[in-house]
Amino acid sequence: ILLNIIMIDVLLLGFMHWIGDYMNMVTAINLILAIGLCVDYSVHVCHTFLEAQGTHDERVRHALYHIGAPVFNGGLTTLIATLVLSVASSYVFQVFFRMFILIVVFGLYFGMVVLPVILSLVGPDPLPIDAPAAAAVIAGATAVEAEVGKQLPADESEKATEASSAAVVPMN
């Protein structure tokens, strides 16, 4: 993820020259904002990849299938919100418009194209599954409830289960 962010900032520095901007306070602020904006695109994909099980390719497909559309929609809404700045006459807003377009395009490209390729080639192993907690979550308990249930003695655990099921009132 860090490599993605570094590459995005390097590309932004290169494209700043190409679009005619110079290094100043406005562009420096945008370069710093790029770190915060672009980390989301990569982190969501990477987190979903780490939680998935299977081979590297299956996990990349799982990550893009489950989180790809929401990440893309986040970038798209940022682009749409940025379009308003295109008609501004202020230098600051014009620079923000140009830089934000580049930030979102590079962030989506590196988060949804480059990072999945890197993860499929040299990605880490999946996170281990905690079998008791996973079984409890599947049964309807939260991970916290499962952890509390492990800490209670057997007879108190049954009492806690009975008390929590008695507290549930069905709604019609």
Side-chain angles (χ1 to χ4, degrees), residues 79-141:
L79 276 176
I80 292 169
T82 304
L83 290 177
V84 175
L85 297 175
S86 67
V87 297
S89 59
S90 169
Y91 169 77
V92 173
F93 291 139
Q94 284 292 314
V95 171
F96 264 79
F97 169 71
R98 290 190 296 266
M99 294 289 287
F100 264 63
I101 295 295
L102 292 173
I103 289 168
V104 172
V105 168
F106 292 152
L108 284 174
Y109 175 72
F110 278 94
M112 296 189 63
V113 177
V114 175
L115 181 63
V117 170
I118 292 171
L119 290 175
S120 70
L121 296 175
V122 293
D125 293 332
L127 294 174
I129 297 177
D130 182 15
V137 169
I138 291 171

Side-chain angles (χ1 to χ4, degrees), residues 2-23:
L2 180 63
L3 185 61
N4 267 4
I5 303 305
I6 291 170
M7 289 188 293
I8 290 168
D9 268 353
V10 168
L11 278 173
L12 285 172
L13 285 168
F15 270 82
M16 276 175 37
H17 173 73
W18 187 68
I19 61 176
D21 286 333
Y22 299 99
M23 191 67 185

Side-chain angles (χ1 to χ4, degrees), residues 13-90:
L13 285 168
F15 270 82
M16 276 175 37
H17 173 73
W18 187 68
I19 61 176
D21 286 333
Y22 299 99
M23 191 67 185
N24 56 35
M25 286 302 279
V26 178
T27 55
I29 289 169
N30 279 290
L31 288 171
I32 294 169
L33 285 172
I35 296 169
L37 289 170
C38 293
V39 77
D40 283 342
Y41 305 129
S42 298
V43 166
H44 289 303
V45 172
C46 192
H47 181 258
T48 308
F49 173 83
L50 286 173
E51 287 186 334
Q53 299 297 318
T55 66
H56 289 306
D57 291 338
E58 291 169 347
R59 293 166 57 208
V60 165
R61 270 189 244 110
H62 171 83
L64 290 176
Y65 179 78
H66 287 286
I67 203 71
V71 168
F72 180 77
N73 288 339
L76 184 64
T77 56
T78 305
L79 276 176
I80 292 169
T82 304
L83 290 177
V84 175
L85 297 175
S86 67
V87 297
S89 59
S90 169

